[in-house]
Amino acid sequence: MNKAQQLVVNESLAKEFGLSADEYQKVLSIMRRTPSMTELGIFSVMWSEHCSYKSSRVWLKNLPTKAPWVIHGPGENAGVVDIGEGLAAVFKMESHNHPSFIEPYQGAATGVGGILRDVFTMGARPIANLNALRFGSPENSQTRHIVDGVVRGIGGYGNCVGVPTIGGEVNFHESYNSNPLVNAMTVGIARKDRIFLSVAVGVGNPVIYVGSKTGRDGIHGATMASAEFDEDAATKRPTVQVGDPFVEKLLIEACLELMATDAIVAIQDMGAAGLTSSAVEMAGKGGVGIELNLDHVPQRETQMSAYEMMLSESQERMLMVLRSDRINIAKQIFEKWELDFAIIGYLTDTGHIVVKHHGRIEADIPLAPLADEAPFYKRSFSPYFKPKPIEPLNITMDIERSLIKLLGCADLASRSWIWDQYDSTIGGQTVYRPGQSDAAVVKVEGTYLGLALTTDCTPRYCQADAYQGAAQAVAEAWRNITAVGAKPLAITDNLNFGNPEKPEIMGQIISVIEGIKDACNALNFPVVSGNVSLYNETCNAQGENISILPTPAIGGLGVLDNVSRAVGNALKENFQLVIIGETKGHIGQSLWLREIMGQEAGPPPTVDLKTERKNGNFVRQVINQGLVAACHDISDGGLLISIAEMAMAGNIGCTLDAPECGMRPEAYWFGEDQGRYIIMTSDSDELIQKAKQQDVIAKLIGYTGGDCIVMPSGAMITIIRMKAASMSFFENLMKV
Amino acid sequence: MKIGIVVFPGTNRERDVVIAFERVTGIKPIIIWHRETTLPSLNMIILPGGFSYGDYLRCGAMAAHSPIMNEIRIFAAKGGYILGICNGFQILTEAKLLPGALLPNASLRFLSRDCYLKIERNDTAFTRGWNKGDVFKTATAHGDGNYFCNNETLKQLEGEGQIVFRYSAANGFVNSKDNQTNPNGSINAIAGIVSANGRICGMMPHPEDMVDPLMGSEDGKPLFQGIMETLA
Amino acid sequence: MKIRLIIQLKKGVLDPQGKAISHALHNLSYQEIQYVRVGRVIDLELSDMPVYEAKEKVAKMARDLLANSVIENFEIEVLS
Amino acid sequence: MKIRLIIQLKKGVLDPQGKAISHALHNLSYQEIQYVRVGRVIDLELSDMPVYEAKEKVAKMARDLLANSVIENFEIEVLS
Ligand SMILES: Nc1ncnc2c1ncn2[C@@H]1O[C@H](COP(=O)(O)OP(=O)(O)O)[C@@H](O)[C@H]1O
Ligand SMILES: [Mg+2]
């Protein structure tokens, strides 16, 4: 006998399933009877935060999602933009935070698997992966283990399926100690007239299951992802989902092969809430009904109940609706790829989802109210208090020593320990790999097009000022794409926050969305897909709730019409260095202030979106005119860090001019003013002339050459020394 | 000239090889599915990189037992040219078409990074595009590339000149103890070997991803040029 | 003193390796195979001590480091 | 019928994983560890047959596919 079947469905059970009393009342009024266990399960996952976005939905509506090049915005499995030559880029970012804390390797691996499926579901061949990671403090004893597992998991999955992992970002902060963030992004390419959607139509059409067999994996995973961890999370561990990248690779090839025929009517991966959400969403979108017979579902374990099968989150599974006269084509292809598949149901005209098992009806729910009456909340929120400006500092710090210390700090140190474990060259189209440019660049096979890809967010800015921080994240993504010479097209966003039932967290969410909105509008850089991850907080040993820093990770995509024009960030000998943008010396929330002065204080730098746009458009223009040999934006750590990164990337040094008088040296070298770039050119006169014409601030600041950075004081910092500092962080952290 | 590239479930670098071949030689290889039981007439067979069968059990082990391998053995026995890259190399050793085995990298981590290879011999079909002693840059991307064999085999490989590629520094210096220049810990810094008759070659790194200056290097081109000259 | 630690995936946890191997064995026409499960074995050589103490030590090592309690179980055997 | 196949690296084959584990155990101050060797265990469920036959079958599978004789040895245990 199954335990699940002995339980009595009532309000208190519903509560255990994560449904509030009001929500349960709603269920009763929709069903007009007490729901069965399976029905309750279906409601609870569909109405979970994870699937229904009940806390964020009303605010997400405000995000700009349109531009002439946007083919599909939010609402589909992934966003789709036109990149020219009849092709579309399909992309999305998704979180796998909680599973990655419970089992770092599998959590991260299955995160990659899930986002890959979202992309190839739409008919796109995945061509690049990125990953935005946030870990706990390096001093925390668990951090090393989590970093190790997450990085191995991302590499293990992506490398095996044969998709290059070419970019990402990493931060460390104690607020992520027991709640790391793993946000994975996939980008794929499809013909723009061959995009596949999940709208199921055609009453009588068969519903096909393909991929791994169903087990009791991650049951209640979707609701788990929406519930806070507490001290005994360790004991309540659900069955962990294990990824099988080999089967995923077979699924990709089989699905793409089938998509080249006319057999598929609708297709959807089984992600969170597995069979339930895929079936409900496909039928719901098509306005039809769906009947499933679970007896036919390929099963890995014996005696699974309907409830378990509907809620299982076994990985590497797809659901599709086929034209009934094309089943044989599908069969042949799945057999070739040795994948389990079965016809498990068909579309009906009832508008209900009906689930049968062992000859019994286990669920019968009207689809329209399940979707339309899904709860949403306009939760109360408290306004955000902006931090006070910091007091002027009157201490002089040694610039060279500060540089070395900063280069070795957790947020700036070389990430090569990570990206060395990710296959970044597979596909033979990778133009710029991690560390070689501001945005990774991949060529679109068979064309001259290039895609520029990046993920960005500076959580400490968002913590200090959620609105500014969010705008900054969008601006930095836009800037990184611009810095390689690409035209920024659109973003995907992954909003990671604490508990939305707390007014201050809700305040963060609202301000972040506002900031993203304004930046996207100003930069003409719409949101085409995204994901929200809430309840990222933990109860520490003292019983306090610790929320993560607000972390709206932005994944940006841009296009180059001629990929050979793309520039990297490595210095070469005998060029001039020009800084674009105004240096005011903003020190609040800077890494210099944190690492050298030990303060996390002040407001973050403000983003002047008009200037941002003006400067960026200028930079892109001169890159495309061939005037630029290398370019790097100035972000975390400020001007001198950017130059050091360029020097280390090219193994070439430079000689720098003195700052304008009047500015404190640390503010000049390490201030984090926005909207700035360093350009390496052989004709600074022409470049500066052009800048003047467009009212862009540009100034010659140095010359390249040699094997060290020569400061205006005459002090020399060798590249060898900088590299040693930059490499030391991960070496020490991960030392056995 | 006809080149066949064998695809197993989980193979993932076959497209890279096709692109490289076409780019360098103008010839488009054909793809052969692992369940084929006959081979068309071919001048060369390539086993590309990837994770055949997920690299579960041991890298290359299950692919080495695929139906197509019987045909490949026959092709090899007739003196046919075979090149195995990365997973292809692992498959060739598992199939005992090449001696030795590929163990997990000494660091126990997957390694995706550029490395340098030194040409030990340029009188093979695979290396004639280079001069002996040349050093070229290529990409590695593997978790199990740590070449191992017993002492006898090693003696034979060294004695008979069966080692064609060795990991080295950019200046050609070989030091098998240095984990920077011999990234996976291979015995005697072995990166690629040939069979006794010189016609079967296995190598871990990926010259096929280095044939276009746009991707950072054209250093891999001579491999394909040399093959082309041999087979033409 | 030699102790063997056998680490296996817990019941119900997907074993992609085992699945692929059983598939491969069937293709090699070993039809009698019904089920394959892949795990790790760690042989440890310890300095001499009473058997029960050694077993306890290894169990502790397994919990601390060697096995992943979220998805794996372990067994201990005394070899010599 | 359940058979366990234990596959270990041959003597003389470097075992970086074993080395890393023994290093990590020392760091966790398990000083009594002298030597660690890591291998693979494959549990096979076979249809019923005489024990000697099952053992022979599994030995053949090991030689064919499951172990690599260049680097590995194997042992067979009958579990049930
Ligand atoms: N998790 C990661 N995976 C792959 N590449 C990464 C990862 N984290 C950082 N990188 C790479 O390291 C480089 C520096 O990252 P970052 O400091 O975030 O750049 P920026 O500040 O210019 O946006 C980039 O090339 C980035 O793609
Ligand atoms: Mg960044």
Side-chain angles (χ1 to χ4, degrees):
Chain A
M1 243 338 241
N2 204 293
K3 219 161 129 204
Q5 288 161 359
Q6 297 161 354
L7 295 169
V8 182
V9 175
N10 56 24
E11 192 178 303
S12 85
L13 184 70
K15 195 168 164 222
E16 265 182 57
F17 276 39
L19 292 171
S20 71
D22 285 348
E23 288 167 352
Y24 184 62
Q25 283 312 313
K26 238 182 190 176
V27 171
L28 290 181
S29 79
I30 291 171
M31 297 301 294
R32 302 208 192 115
R33 59 176 164 81
T34 303
S36 71
M37 189 57 198
T38 305
E39 287 165 341
L40 186 67
I42 292 173
F43 274 101
S44 82
V45 292
M46 291 310 297
W47 288 5
S48 70
E49 190 67 58
H50 191 89
C51 289
S52 73
Y53 291 85
K54 55 190 170 193
S55 299
S56 56
R57 219 155 82 215
V58 287
W59 301 101
L60 290 173
K61 280 202 311 255
N62 299 335
L63 291 173
T65 60
K66 293 203 165 62
W69 50 86
V70 174
I71 298 174
H72 290 291
E76 295 301 334
N77 282 303
V80 182
V81 294
D82 190 338
I83 57 167
E85 309 212 6
L87 298 175
V90 178
F91 70 112
K92 183 168 188 251
M93 177 153 40
E94 197 159 80
S95 63
H96 229 209
N97 303 336
H98 295 171
S100 299
F101 175 62
I102 292 175
E103 213 311 280
Y105 184 100
Q106 295 298 344
T110 51
V112 173
I115 192 63
L116 279 164
R117 285 192 293 283
D118 272 333
V119 166
F120 74 74
T121 293
M122 300 197 73
R125 176 173 286 281
I127 63 157
N129 280 335
L130 292 91
N131 57 112
L133 310 176
R134 320 284 162 187
F135 298 115
S137 153
E139 281 79 44
N140 183 273
S141 61
Q142 284 192 75
T143 299
R144 179 182 175 280
H145 163 74
I146 295 175
V147 171
D148 182 62
V150 164
V151 170
R152 279 183 196 275
I154 290 172
Y157 207 99
N159 298 342
C160 184
V161 294
V163 176
T165 302
I166 56 173
E169 59 181 333
V170 189
N171 291 120
F172 293 85
H173 188 274
E174 61 182 4
S175 70
Y176 307 110
N177 274 0
S178 43
N179 200 127
L181 303 184
V182 174
N183 296 172
M185 168 169 161
T186 293
V187 184
I189 297 289
R191 264 176 53 188
K192 84 179 196 201
D193 58 354
R194 298 286 293 165
I195 303 291
F196 287 80
L197 302 179
S198 54
V199 185
V201 290
V203 170
N205 275 337
V207 176
I208 309 289
Y209 170 118
V210 59
S212 290
K213 292 185 168 70
T214 296
R216 294 188 174 91
D217 307 314
I219 290 174
H220 257 153
T223 41
M224 176 192 76
S226 312
E228 270 174 63
F229 279 152
D230 48 34
E231 278 291 273
D232 48 292
T235 55
K236 274 200 238 151
R237 278 166 182 166
T239 321
V240 171
Q241 307 151 33
V242 168
D244 187 345
F246 171 57
V247 168
E248 181 101 339
K249 168 70 174 163
L250 304 182
L251 267 181
I252 294 177
E253 299 304 331
C255 287
L256 292 178
E257 205 171 311
L258 185 58
M259 284 162 167
T261 73
D262 61 353
I264 297 178
V265 175
I267 175 166
Q268 168 92 10
D269 62 300
M270 291 189 229
L275 194 49
T276 294
S277 72
S278 54
V280 165
E281 279 169 25
M282 281 214 283
K285 278 185 185 172
V288 293
I290 188 166
E291 182 170 320
L292 301 178
N293 186 339
L294 300 183
D295 299 346
H296 302 310
V297 169
Q299 293 160 48
R300 194 175 84 230
E301 294 179 65
T302 51
Q303 296 191 315
M304 291 185 69
S305 67
Y307 170 86
E308 288 172 323
M309 276 190 268
M310 289 308 289
L311 268 66
S312 162
E313 295 194 346
S314 291
Q315 301 290 298
E316 291 91 23
R317 302 179 301 162
M318 307 287 286
L319 199 64
M320 35 184 112
V321 175
L322 297 184
R323 283 177 51 171
S324 42
D325 54 348
R326 292 292 190 275
I327 289 177
N328 275 332
I329 295 178
K331 208 172 143 185
Q332 270 168 23
I333 291 173
F334 296 143
E335 274 169 1
K336 169 182 167 190
W337 291 99
E338 303 181 37
L339 288 163
D340 279 312
F341 83 100
I343 302 171
I344 63 163
Y346 54 92
L347 300 185
T348 64
D349 60 2
T350 61
H352 281 229
I353 177 168
V354 175
V355 177
K356 289 186 176 163
H357 189 215
H358 295 328
R360 279 183 35 192
I361 293 180
E362 293 284 350
D364 183 350
I365 304 174
L367 288 163
L370 180 58
D372 302 342
E373 290 177 39
F376 65 89
Y377 299 111
K378 197 160 180 182
R379 297 192 190 278
S380 60
F381 59 95
S382 52
Y384 223 77
F385 293 105
K386 299 205 169 144
K388 285 199 299 273
I390 49 168
E391 301 286 317
L393 296 156
N394 286 314
I395 330 137
T396 308
M397 300 298 286
D398 184 297
I399 297 296
E400 293 80 54
R401 293 239 303 274
S402 302
L403 170 65
I404 294 296
K405 183 152 188 220
L406 279 168
L407 285 175
C409 84
D411 282 345
L412 289 176
S414 168
R415 275 83 177 97
S416 65
W417 182 89
I418 294 180
W419 76 58
D420 273 359
Q421 298 181 57
Y422 300 156
D423 190 341
S424 54
T425 52
I426 181 161
Q429 308 298 314
T430 307
V431 178
Y432 287 117
R433 283 183 245 171
Q436 297 183 333
S437 59
D438 280 20
V441 177
V442 272
K443 185 169 176 284
V444 179
E445 193 185 311
T447 71
Y448 290 104
L449 298 173
L451 293 186
L453 308 168
T454 181
T455 75
D456 293 283
C457 176
T458 308
R460 65 177 190 281
Y461 291 174
C462 299
Q463 175 74 10
D465 183 336
Y467 173 85
Q468 282 298 332
Q472 193 278 340
V474 175
E476 187 173 340
W478 189 85
R479 203 182 299 147
N480 282 336
I481 291 167
T482 297
V484 299
K487 177 181 182 234
L489 291 184
I491 63 169
T492 176
D493 63 340
N494 201 147
L495 309 180
N496 307 275
F497 294 93
N499 180 351
E501 291 159 45
K502 294 181 182 162
E504 67 274 18
I505 301 292
M506 205 56 226
Q508 288 176 347
I509 297 174
I510 293 165
S511 297
V512 157
I513 290 174
E514 198 61 20
I516 293 176
K517 178 186 105 184
D518 287 351
C520 287
N521 277 330
L523 301 171
N524 203 6
F525 199 31
V527 180
V528 295
S529 57
N531 176 246
V532 178
S533 170
L534 302 178
Y535 299 94
N536 289 291
E537 61 174 37
T538 43
C539 196
N540 70 8
Q542 287 77 48
E544 304 157 324
N545 277 324
I546 311 286
S547 274
I548 59 157
L549 303 184
T551 311
I554 303 295
L557 177 140
V559 67
L560 289 127
D561 292 334
N562 180 351
V563 67
S564 66
R565 291 259 165 79
V567 298
N569 62 16
L571 291 190
K572 298 184 194 91
E573 206 125 17
N574 288 324
F575 283 88
Q576 297 134 36
L577 294 177
V578 173
I579 182 171
I580 304 294
E582 189 180 8
T583 302
K584 294 184 194 155
H586 182 98
I587 272 304
Q589 294 301 335
S590 68
L591 286 177
W592 179 84
L593 187 66
R594 188 182 86 189
E595 297 294 321
I596 309 297
M597 304 306 293
Q599 291 181 42
E600 295 182 58
T606 40
V607 187
D608 175 347
L609 292 165
K610 243 170 137 179
T611 310
E612 188 74 56
R613 186 170 174 147
K614 184 173 67 179
N615 292 357
N617 287 347
F618 171 74
V619 168
R620 190 176 321 106
Q621 179 195 325
V622 288
I623 291 174
N624 283 302
Q625 288 167 347
L627 272 174
V628 177
C631 180
H632 190 18
D633 79 319
I634 302 178
S635 53
D636 258 15
L639 170 60
L640 193 56
I641 293 293
S642 283
I643 293 174
E645 285 170 350
M646 296 176 84
M648 289 188 289
N651 268 318
I652 294 289
C654 59
T655 303
L656 299 176
D657 297 337
E660 288 153 66
C661 54
M663 197 176 300
R664 295 193 62 84
E666 60 277 358
Y668 177 74
W669 295 114
F670 301 117
E672 297 185 2
D673 310 287
Q674 298 295 297
R676 296 184 299 160
Y677 302 79
I678 294 166
I679 284 179
M680 182 174 90
T681 177
S682 56
D683 195 345
S684 57
D685 287 345
E686 190 187 344
L687 197 104
I688 291 169
Q689 187 59 35
K690 280 188 187 248
K692 260 206 194 104
Q693 285 163 10
Q694 297 185 25
D695 195 24
V696 167
I697 296 175
K699 193 170 166 291
L700 180 67
I701 56 161
Y703 300 87
T704 66
D707 58 5
C708 39
I709 294 183
V710 183
M711 298 297 291
S713 64
M716 300 205 271
I717 312 149
T718 63
I719 292 172
I720 292 177
R721 187 172 159 216
M722 293 191 286
K723 277 194 170 172
S726 174
M727 297 303 291
S728 64
F729 172 76
F730 271 98
E731 273 168 19
N732 292 333
L733 179 68
M734 303 311 296
K735 201 162 49 199
V736 195
Chain B
M1 184 167 89
K2 230 168 158 187
I3 311 248
I5 298 181
V6 181
V7 172
F8 302 92
T11 295
N12 61 26
R13 255 183 167 92
E14 74 278 13
R15 299 155 65 83
D16 305 37
V17 181
V18 172
I19 293 167
F21 241 102
E22 249 195 305
R23 181 179 169 88
V24 181
T25 69
I27 290 165
K28 188 172 172 141
I30 57 166
I31 297 284
I32 299 167
W33 183 235
H34 74 116
R35 270 201 287 197
E36 299 293 334
T37 46
T38 57
L39 282 179
S41 116
L42 293 170
N43 302 88
M44 180 183 244
I45 292 175
I46 297 182
L47 306 184
F51 285 68
S52 56
Y53 293 94
D55 272 0
Y56 300 147
L57 187 59
R58 289 180 315 278
C59 303
M62 288 190 264
H65 290 84
S66 253
I68 192 84
M69 289 308 289
N70 286 330
E71 290 302 304
I72 292 179
R73 274 176 219 284
I74 295 169
F75 182 82
K78 286 192 204 144
Y81 287 103
I82 304 177
L83 170 63
I85 305 173
C86 198
N87 198 224
F89 186 11
Q90 294 162 340
I91 295 169
L92 288 174
T93 59
E94 282 285 345
K96 305 276 186 336
L97 287 166
L98 286 173
L102 292 142
L103 300 178
N105 294 346
S107 64
L108 298 173
R109 292 183 188 279
F110 191 95
L111 212 79
S112 165
R113 197 197 266 176
D114 284 346
C115 68
Y116 291 92
L117 295 191
K118 186 176 181 185
I119 306 295
E120 293 284 313
R121 226 181 118 167
N122 75 331
D123 59 346
T124 74
F126 311 96
T127 53
R128 62 186 280 177
W130 284 284
N131 291 316
K132 184 167 186 258
D134 275 358
V135 175
F136 73 101
K137 187 166 99 171
T138 178
T140 55
H142 58 248
D144 299 71
N146 185 350
Y147 185 78
F148 173 84
C149 61
N150 62 27
N151 283 334
E152 266 160 75
T153 311
L154 187 61
K155 242 186 235 150
Q156 187 203 320
L157 291 176
E158 291 284 3
E160 304 294 314
Q162 283 177 251
I163 298 162
V164 287
F165 302 110
R166 254 189 253 268
Y167 297 105
S168 78
N171 64 7
F173 187 71
V174 174
N175 175 4
S176 64
K177 299 274 177 311
D178 174 15
N179 63 11
Q180 287 303 306
T181 58
N182 180 28
N184 49 30
S186 290
I187 198 162
N188 288 16
I190 291 172
I193 57 175
V194 287
S195 56
N197 71 359
R199 299 207 157 193
I200 305 177
C201 174
M203 67 188 304
M204 282 315 293
H206 294 285
E208 73 273 25
D209 287 335
M210 293 280 173
V211 294
D212 187 338
L214 199 54
M215 314 306 160
S217 165
E218 288 184 286
D219 272 15
K221 268 183 161 176
L223 173 75
F224 303 97
Q225 284 158 344
I227 290 172
M228 175 78 173
E229 281 166 28
T230 307
L231 301 184
Chain C
M1 147 146 284
K2 240 175 135 177
I3 305 257
R4 173 166 284 175
L5 184 68
I6 304 252
I7 302 170
Q8 285 281 24
L9 286 171
K10 284 185 181 166
K11 222 179 137 205
V13 175
L14 176 70
D15 175 15
Q17 291 215 58
K19 206 174 80 182
I21 291 171
S22 106
H23 196 79
L25 287 171
H26 281 167
N27 283 347
L28 288 174
S29 33
Y30 288 105
Q31 297 307 334
E32 51 282 280
I33 293 298
Q34 295 177 339
Y35 192 75
V36 180
R37 202 108 178 121
V38 179
R40 294 178 294 141
V41 49
I42 303 181
D43 286 351
L44 301 143
E45 177 94 46
L46 277 78
S47 45
D48 278 337
M49 61 178 82
V51 170
Y52 77 90
E53 202 183 314
K55 280 172 104 170
E56 233 164 59
K57 274 245 154 74
V58 173
K60 191 160 174 318
M61 290 175 205
R63 281 189 300 266
D64 272 9
L65 177 76
L66 303 175
N68 176 352
S69 63
V70 182
I71 51 174
E72 293 172 329
N73 286 327
F74 62 87
E75 296 165 42
I76 294 172
E77 274 173 40
V78 181
L79 292 187
S80 68
Chain D
M1 147 145 284
K2 238 177 139 176
I3 306 258
R4 172 166 284 176
L5 185 67
I6 304 253
I7 302 170
Q8 285 283 21
L9 285 173
K10 282 186 175 164
K11 251 194 153 153
V13 179
L14 207 67
D15 176 18
Q17 228 182 325
K19 231 172 71 185
I21 289 179
S22 108
H23 191 79
L25 286 173
H26 280 165
N27 281 351
L28 288 175
S29 40
Y30 289 106
Q31 296 308 334
E32 48 284 281
I33 293 298
Q34 296 175 339
Y35 189 77
V36 179
R37 202 107 182 121
V38 179
R40 229 193 325 265
V41 48
I42 302 181
D43 286 351
L44 301 143
E45 176 97 44
L46 277 76
S47 45
D48 278 336
M49 60 179 85
V51 170
Y52 75 91
E53 202 184 313
K55 281 172 103 171
E56 234 163 61
K57 273 247 153 74
V58 172
K60 192 159 172 317
M61 289 177 208
R63 280 190 302 268
D64 261 16
L65 174 72
L66 300 177
N68 178 347
S69 61
V70 178
I71 46 171
E72 294 169 329
N73 288 325
F74 62 87
E75 297 164 42
I76 293 172
E77 274 173 40
V78 181
L79 293 186
S80 67

